[in-house]
Amino acid sequence: MIDLFPVFGPLLRSLDPEVAHTLTLRLLEAGLAPRLCDREEPRLRQRLWGLDFPNPVGIAAGFDKNAEVVGPLLSLGFGFVEAGTVTPKPQPGNPRPRCFRLTGQQAMINRFGFNNQGLEAVARRLATRRRRHRRGVVGANIGRNKDSVDAIGDYVAGVYALAALADYLVINVSSPNTPGLRALQDREPLAELLAAVLAARAELCLKRTPALLLKIAPDLTSDDLAAIAEVSLEAGLDGLIVSNTTIGRPGLDGVAGASETGGLSGRPLFESSTRVLSEIYRLTGGRLPLIGVGGIASAEDAYAKIRAGASLVQVYTALIYQGPRLVRDIRRGLPALLERDGFATLTAAVGADHR
Ligand SMILES: Cc1cc2nc3c(=O)[nH]c(=O)nc-3n(C[C@H](O)[C@H](O)[C@H](O)COP(=O)(O)O)c2cc1C
C-alpha cells in the first residue's frame, strides 16, 4: 500500500492533536497502514535479552497505550513495539485539552496523565496475539494509578498481569503527569520498587521470562543518575530506557504554547536526553543494554544515540511531523553511517563515543 501520509499528514495536523491521534489509531486498526519497508538489513539486527530485534527502531510508549494496534505498527516496519503505559485500573487521565503541538519546534507537550483501559483490557489483547503466535517483539510499559495508595503494589500487579504476555516490561517512574511518580527514582524507593518487581517476576517461574527495564526522566542530576545506575546494577535489572519527556523548556523562550504544563518531547528534548543516555552508559560501564529515546527525527539522530550507548532506539513525536516514512528513512540511513565509521554491524557501534 502506498504512503498516504503526504495527504493525510496535513489533514491530521489541522485537527486537535488528541482527535488526530485517535483517528490515526482507527486508521491503523482498519488496516490502512502503508508497508513502506525494505527487506531487513542483517547489519541492523540486534539480539538482546534472548530476543531477536529485526531492526533497532521501536515505537515509544504512549502511542499505543492500550495495545490496540501492535500488529499494524510492526507492519509499518518497526523492529519492536512498546504498548502502555497501562495502570492496574482503567483511568480517564487529566481533563482535555492535554496535548499540544509546537509545530515550529517539531515538538509536543502532553499532560495525558496515564489515560488507559487498565491491565485487564491490555492483557486480553496481548494474550490474543500470543495465542495466535504473532511474530514481533512487544514490550509493555506499566505504571501506577493516580489514586493508588500502594504504588509498588500497582507495579507488582502489572508484572503479574503482563509478564507472561510481553517480551519485556518497563517500569515507568518518569512520567511528569502523575503526582509523586518521579520520586520513585530516588535511591531508597527505587531499590524497594526494583526488589519487589524482580521478586514478582521470579515468583511466576515463567518459561519465557520477560526482560525488566526501567524508564527514567531526562531531568535528573548527576547524583540521581549515579544512584540509579548503582541500584539498577545491584538489583539485577535488565536495562534502562532513557528518556521520558522533560519538564524543562530548552530553547523555547517566547514560543507560543511552551508554557503549557506537561512533558515536552521532540526536537528540543534531543540534547538533554542524549546527554543523560551517555552519562548512564558511562556509569553502568556498558553492562546494561540501553534504549535511547528523545527527539530522534532522522537516521543521524538515531546513530548519535547508538554511539552514545543505545543498543536500540525509539521514536514518537517526529512521527507526527514526518509520518511512517521516518522508520524507513532511519533504517535506510543507518547502514551508510555504520559504513562511514567502519563498523560492520550496529552492535559494534554501540557506545563508540566512549572508546
Ligand atoms: C503524547 C505522548 C504520550 C506519551 N505517553 C507516554 C506513556 O504513556 N508512557 C511513557 O513511558 N512515555 C510516554 N511518552 C513519552 C515517549 O514514550 C518518549 O519517551 C518521549 O516522547 C520522547 O521521545 P520523542 O521525542 O521521540 O517523542 C509519551 C509521549 C507523548 C508525545
Side-chain angles (χ1 to χ4, degrees):
M1 190 180 296
I2 56 161
D3 181 17
L4 294 174
F5 193 78
V7 181
F8 274 124
L11 183 75
L12 287 169
R13 284 194 303 277
S14 73
L15 302 172
D16 164 78
E18 188 166 349
V19 171
H21 183 68
T22 307
L23 186 60
T24 303
L25 291 178
R26 298 293 80 87
L27 290 170
L28 287 170
E29 220 170 24
L32 289 172
R35 281 175 194 272
L36 299 173
C37 275
D38 320 318
R39 266 187 308 122
E40 297 293 350
E41 158 66 63
R43 282 175 291 179
L44 297 186
R45 283 189 196 134
Q46 283 286 64
R47 188 169 168 80
L48 295 163
W49 312 301
L51 301 169
D52 288 310
F53 294 79
N55 74 70
V57 188
I59 181 142
F63 185 91
D64 189 10
K65 286 179 187 275
N66 299 304
E68 294 170 294
V69 290
V70 169
L73 287 169
L74 289 165
S75 299
L76 283 181
F78 285 106
F80 62 110
V81 170
E82 186 171 314
T85 295
V86 56
T87 56
K89 288 180 295 170
Q91 62 178 29
N94 290 321
R96 296 185 191 202
R98 49 193 180 176
C99 188
F100 309 88
R101 288 186 206 96
L102 308 181
T103 303
Q105 290 66 38
Q106 306 270 295
M108 296 276 287
I109 292 176
N110 91 81
R111 52 170 179 267
F112 273 105
F114 292 167
N115 55 314
N116 78 100
Q117 296 172 2
L119 284 174
E120 208 180 303
V122 168
R124 198 173 352 99
R125 292 192 187 106
L126 294 180
T128 304
R129 271 191 68 76
R130 276 269 154 114
R131 241 191 343 268
R132 294 179 181 163
H133 302 289
R134 294 282 192 249
R135 292 163 65 95
V137 178
V138 181
N141 179 308
I142 57 182
R144 53 161 286 196
N145 279 113
K146 185 179 179 184
D147 63 3
S148 167
V149 288
D150 177 14
I152 292 183
D154 277 17
Y155 289 98
V156 167
V159 173
Y160 284 144
L162 300 180
L165 303 171
D167 296 308
Y168 70 91
L169 295 176
V170 182
I171 308 301
N172 179 10
V173 287
S174 47
S175 164
N177 303 311
T178 295
L181 191 86
R182 287 173 303 151
L184 291 167
Q185 294 173 117
D186 295 346
R187 183 186 286 270
E188 277 81 32
L190 181 63
E192 202 186 324
L193 171 64
L194 294 186
V197 290
L198 286 161
R201 181 182 68 169
E203 207 182 291
L204 290 168
C205 294
L206 295 168
K207 242 192 314 187
R208 281 169 64 178
T209 306
L212 252 175
L213 318 186
L214 179 75
K215 183 165 178 180
I216 64 171
D219 309 309
L220 298 161
T221 65
S222 299
D223 286 351
D224 295 334
L225 293 176
I228 288 171
E230 201 182 306
V231 170
S232 301
L233 285 169
E234 253 169 37
L237 197 70
D238 298 307
L240 289 159
I241 304 190
V242 189
S243 74
N244 216 310
T245 55
T246 176
I247 53 168
R249 296 292 181 264
L252 296 184
D253 281 353
V255 170
S259 58
E260 289 291 348
T261 300
L264 172 74
S265 59
R267 261 233 161 100
L269 173 61
F270 181 78
E271 209 182 293
S272 58
S273 63
T274 308
R275 199 176 338 109
V276 170
L277 172 73
S278 186
E279 182 75 2
I280 281 284
Y281 183 87
R282 192 184 61 76
L283 287 163
T284 53
R287 278 173 290 166
L288 280 184
L290 307 177
I291 301 182
V293 50
I296 295 177
S298 66
E300 286 76 13
D301 294 342
Y303 187 57
K305 297 270 189 200
I306 289 159
R307 289 192 59 116
S311 293
L312 300 166
V313 296
Q314 290 176 324
V315 294
Y316 186 163
T317 303
L319 282 173
I320 293 162
Y321 297 105
Q322 297 185 39
R325 255 180 314 177
L326 173 67
V327 191
R328 181 190 60 186
D329 292 349
I330 296 176
R331 286 177 44 183
R332 281 190 183 167
L334 280 174
L337 293 164
L338 293 174
E339 239 160 69
R340 183 196 69 191
D341 294 350
F343 296 116
T345 61
L346 184 128
T347 312
V350 173
D353 286 347
H354 300 267
R355 298 194 277 271

